[in-house]
Amino acid sequence: MKRQHAIAIVLAIVVLAVLVFLRSPEQDMVMPEQPPASEGERLPETAPTEDEYLGTVHGENFSEAPALQAYRARQLFAQRVSEFFAQSETLSAAAREAEATALLVQVEQFEARGELSAAEAVSLRLGLLRSSADEVEFTTQAAHIIEAYQARHAQAMAEYLANPPAAFVDYKARERAIVEEVRQLETIPGGISRGQYLRERLQAAREESYAAVHRDE
């Protein structure tokens, strides 16, 4: 029962995984908007394409920038996944299985490069499995997928706790001192609650810890 519940929850965020996957710093690099053409007016047929525009800005070939190429690859993959889920019921069983298998290969590639989080990857895996497998096969394989990711998460967490980042260690030291300081205060500055004051102090400490570590790198 617990496995079925876990499977249902993960399947519910398949679409969210695709949306999160598309979030990227490269999204800040956008094409300037074209003014809307007036009625009866046509855009010139010789207008530069996006590739041509990016390739001529400041005389640099931005269209070949690795970051831009990677972002485009993620866009195409996300579009392909969305189209597959939207059209899977209209495909033959053979075509549906072939496309799901091809997309699964891409999921593995993106995950191996660190471009998909574990949550995104497991969501997509389960969604593709749901679309191409029968009920018995799905239930069995989905349980194995979830168990494998749970084991990996547990191992990663153990490794993290055994060798935490410097920023985390610095913050935990600050945290203990701040908690004790706030606990002993008789009057809270600003007239706010003790809990809110503590949260604000801890948030500031987190920011200071990570900023300090990054300055030293």
Side-chain angles (χ1 to χ4, degrees):
M1 190 66 178
K2 290 182 179 179
R3 287 180 177 179
Q4 293 177 348
H5 182 62
I7 292 170
I9 292 175
V10 177
L11 278 177
I13 61 173
V14 168
V15 175
L16 177 61
V18 175
L19 295 176
V20 172
F21 174 67
L22 273 177
R23 296 297 301 167
S24 166
E26 290 81 18
Q27 284 180 296
D28 293 334
M29 183 186 292
V30 296
M31 293 286 291
E33 294 185 1
Q34 295 283 350
S38 60
E39 186 175 354
E41 180 182 358
R42 296 181 58 188
L43 293 175
E45 296 181 0
T46 57
T49 64
E50 180 180 352
D51 283 347
E52 291 170 339
Y53 176 84
L54 291 174
T56 56
V57 174
H58 302 306
E60 299 180 31
N61 194 354
F62 283 107
S63 64
E64 296 182 1
L68 184 57
Q69 290 181 342
Y71 176 58
R72 285 177 175 168
R74 292 196 295 273
Q75 280 188 309
L76 292 173
F77 171 69
Q79 180 180 352
R80 186 176 177 183
V81 169
S82 297
E83 290 176 351
F84 172 72
F85 286 133
Q87 303 170 6
S88 62
E89 294 184 359
T90 67
L91 301 175
S92 66
R96 188 165 54 247
E97 182 176 356
E99 180 65 0
T101 300
L103 288 171
L104 181 59
V105 170
Q106 287 191 286
V107 170
E108 294 173 348
Q109 292 172 343
F110 280 115
E111 186 180 14
R113 293 198 297 267
E115 297 180 41
L116 271 178
S117 70
E120 293 164 348
V122 72
S123 298
L124 290 170
R125 286 176 185 273
L126 290 175
L128 293 171
L129 179 63
R130 173 74 280 179
S131 298
S132 59
D134 59 35
E135 192 65 33
V136 174
E137 183 182 7
F138 171 75
T139 301
T140 301
Q141 292 193 27
H144 291 161
I145 290 173
I146 292 175
E147 288 175 353
Y149 274 90
Q150 288 176 334
R152 286 172 54 183
H153 174 73
Q155 180 180 354
M157 181 58 68
E159 293 174 353
Y160 178 89
L161 294 175
N163 187 29
F168 179 77
V169 175
D170 182 77
Y171 166 71
K172 294 306 289 184
R174 294 171 184 254
E175 179 186 53
R176 288 189 294 271
I178 291 172
V179 169
E180 181 60 24
E181 177 188 338
V182 174
R183 187 182 68 81
Q184 295 183 12
L185 287 176
E186 295 183 0
T187 303
I188 304 300
I192 60 178
S193 68
R194 188 179 300 272
Q196 181 179 348
Y197 180 68
L198 177 60
R199 286 192 295 272
E200 292 177 357
R201 290 287 305 277
L202 292 178
Q203 177 61 34
R206 277 191 291 271
E207 294 173 359
E208 291 172 4
S209 293
Y210 283 86
V213 170
H214 291 156
R215 282 197 301 270
D216 295 338
E217 290 179 350

